Amino acid sequence: MTDRALMSVRAEVDRLYREEHGRIVAPLIRLLGDFDRAEEVVHEAFEAALSQWPAEGLPDEPRAWLLRAARNKAIDRIRRSRSFADKRAELKAVADIESAFAPAADELLELGPRDDMLRLVFTCCHPAIAADAQIALTLRAICGLTTPEIARAFLVDEKAMAQRLVRVKKKIRGARIPYRVPAPEELPERIDAVLHALYLVFNEGYAATAGDALVRKDLCGTAIRLAELVSTLLPREPGPKGLLALMLLHDARRHARVDALGELVLLEDQDRGLWDRAQIARALPLVEEGLRERPPRGYAIQAAIAALHAQAERPADTDWRQIAGLYHVLLRLEPSPVVELNRAVAIAMNGDEEEGLRLLDALAARGTLAHYHLLPAARGELLRRLGRTEEARGAYRAALALVNNDVERRFLERRLAALDP
């Protein structure tokens, strides 16, 4: 195999790891009853692919190949394990795995009401686990993010994140946290953490923390499907519907967010003919339903903001006044520096650029978003619009020092270069 073909195989294995990790590891965690062992056999399956595929060529069904490899390695581990002294227990464990992986790969990957990934999300978000550890573990298990990637998302060093992940897995094992969707009476008190985790999974797909692609449609699709399942489990809860509407509206713009070369296209420059109108139409009734709750939840308000963007035929038709007002309400309900940033931008887009910049400067002075590249990027944009070119250059350079995604980096570089005389 040529070097180019070898690189192609490696790229395909990398893609499959990012897109399929959660769906392969979830049933193995259930069957092996252990995060670490499940992750190890999945890792071994991908290593086997890297070893065999260059010589044998890509299989016709790469996902099915990986599933079979992971299944076989799980069975091998069980048979080698000294802890399975009781032969009957060993046989039962092997039979469970063979039975679970017996359907064709496509059937195994189908999501149903008893989906393993949903069990996995509820396990990761168990109330016995600290909130930040819940999210870190969900990003690892569902998204397949590496420890360095998760550390970057949390703005902590890799060693600290590795220790956090080890502790949370020990906690699950030691406390015998069940790997299941909770009983109906337990769901309301568990739902907020699960929705938060799903939103973060979607965000990682909508704007990848790092890498050479802006969008990871696999993660967006996974988060949407799981939100649909949660909404089905709790039909009277407005939270899941609000989150589902928000995801559908953002995802509806997916094909317009990058151009043919994969480069970032700002909302105001997007071809609105590429937006998925059917998906927008599906989301709008959910937005209305969410806003009827008193007081409305944060997801419903964010969905209402996304709906205003989605309903504008042209950028000039966007109701920035109402969007700024909705961010004001959101800030009162769920204050956060990111909401402050978005509100400042909305105020600027509504015509008061000086006030928007003043709010961004105040936010920057507090230092709470010191590692968030979108703050200096937004400042750079407003400074550019106000004709304060040299200050805009400084802001774009500050954003470039913080950005990790290659697509966003190239966009900021183009913005900076455009300021040259």
Side-chain angles (χ1 to χ4, degrees):
M1 180 172 276
T2 65
D3 289 346
R4 186 172 181 178
L6 183 59
M7 288 178 64
S8 175
V9 169
R10 287 185 178 279
E12 178 65 5
V13 171
D14 286 345
R15 183 189 68 79
L16 286 164
Y17 185 86
R18 287 198 168 275
E19 294 183 2
E20 305 299 337
H21 179 275
R23 285 192 282 185
I24 296 175
V25 80
L28 289 165
I29 291 173
R30 170 169 56 85
L31 294 164
L32 294 172
D34 187 280
F35 271 81
D36 284 332
R37 285 203 297 167
E39 286 189 329
E40 284 167 7
V41 297
V42 171
H43 185 70
E44 288 172 6
F46 278 92
E47 280 191 333
L50 278 175
S51 172
Q52 296 180 37
W53 292 1
E56 300 171 1
L58 283 177
D60 292 336
E61 298 286 347
R63 288 188 303 175
W65 191 100
L66 289 164
L67 283 165
R68 283 194 297 272
R71 175 201 63 184
N72 293 339
K73 291 181 182 300
I75 291 173
D76 288 345
R77 279 189 169 232
I78 288 172
R79 285 176 170 154
R80 290 199 307 266
S81 173
R82 292 181 180 176
S83 65
F84 280 83
D86 185 336
K87 198 67 178 173
R88 292 172 61 187
E90 174 190 331
L91 290 172
K92 182 179 184 308
V94 171
D96 286 347
I97 290 178
E98 289 179 331
S99 172
F101 284 78
D106 286 346
E107 293 175 30
L108 186 62
L109 295 173
E110 283 290 329
L111 292 172
R114 296 171 60 79
D115 179 63
D116 277 320
M117 292 180 78
L118 191 61
R119 290 193 191 93
L120 185 52
V121 172
F122 273 102
T123 303
C124 292
C125 297
H126 193 278
I129 301 171
D132 57 350
Q134 291 176 354
I135 295 165
L137 190 60
T138 303
L139 292 174
R140 175 61 165 267
I142 298 293
C143 307
L145 294 193
T146 64
T147 301
E149 288 172 335
I150 301 171
R152 275 200 296 271
F154 278 79
L155 305 176
V156 301
D157 67 59
E158 291 180 27
K159 185 177 178 181
M161 180 51 67
Q163 291 171 341
R164 187 181 301 178
L165 288 167
V166 168
R167 283 198 300 271
V168 69
K169 290 175 184 174
K170 282 184 179 176
K171 175 79 175 182
I172 289 174
R173 201 163 40 239
R176 297 182 181 278
I177 291 174
Y179 181 72
R180 63 175 175 82
V181 175
E185 62 273 18
E186 297 176 87
L187 284 173
E189 64 176 321
R190 303 277 300 274
I191 198 63
D192 285 347
V194 167
L195 294 183
H196 187 47
L198 292 183
Y199 190 35
L200 288 176
V201 170
F202 180 84
N203 282 341
E204 183 58 30
Y206 187 73
T209 305
D212 58 2
L214 180 66
V215 179
R216 289 188 58 188
K217 63 180 181 181
D218 57 307
L219 291 185
C220 292
T222 295
I224 288 173
R225 285 193 296 272
L226 292 177
E228 288 171 335
L229 286 177
V230 174
S231 185
T232 302
L233 286 171
L234 291 166
R236 295 183 180 178
E237 275 281 330
K241 290 186 176 66
L243 178 60
L244 179 58
L246 176 61
M247 291 178 179
L248 289 171
L249 289 165
H250 281 319
D251 188 63
R253 300 201 297 262
R254 185 199 327 148
H255 295 297
R257 291 183 61 226
V258 293
D259 63 17
L261 299 175
E263 300 297 348
L264 174 65
V265 181
L266 290 182
L267 177 61
E268 63 195 68
D269 299 322
Q270 290 175 10
D271 178 356
R272 297 180 182 224
L274 296 176
W275 290 3
D276 188 335
R277 295 294 172 184
Q279 192 160 303
I280 291 170
R282 183 183 165 208
L284 292 179
L286 297 174
V287 177
E288 294 292 332
E289 195 172 336
L291 289 177
R292 281 199 290 271
E293 189 189 19
R294 289 293 177 269
R297 301 272 186 96
Y299 295 126
I301 294 173
Q302 291 181 69
I305 293 169
L308 288 170
H309 285 299
Q311 290 172 307
E313 293 294 330
R314 303 170 303 160
D317 298 332
T318 306
D319 189 344
W320 285 108
R321 184 189 63 79
Q322 193 172 349
I323 289 172
L326 286 168
Y327 273 122
H328 183 71
V329 174
L330 184 60
L331 196 56
R332 280 191 295 154
L333 288 173
E334 298 179 3
S336 85
V338 173
V339 175
E340 286 185 63
L341 189 159
N342 290 333
R343 175 172 171 263
V345 171
I347 288 171
M349 294 301 290
N350 192 39
D352 196 345
E353 292 169 338
E354 293 284 0
E355 175 61 8
L357 183 60
R358 186 190 69 77
L359 292 171
L360 290 182
D361 286 345
L363 194 54
R366 295 205 324 255
T368 51
L369 291 178
H371 301 284
Y372 191 47
H373 68 284
L374 291 182
L375 174 54
R379 288 191 71 250
E381 183 63 19
L382 291 191
L383 288 164
R384 182 187 70 81
R385 291 178 185 230
L386 290 166
R388 294 161 61 174
T389 307
E390 194 53 41
E391 292 172 88
R393 285 194 184 96
Y396 281 128
R397 291 189 185 107
L400 279 165
L402 297 172
V403 70
N404 288 310
N405 183 280
D406 293 340
V407 177
E408 290 182 299
R409 176 180 295 105
R410 291 196 296 272
F411 173 81
L412 291 168
E413 288 170 345
R414 290 197 300 276
R415 273 297 206 250
L416 181 59
L419 294 175
D420 289 338

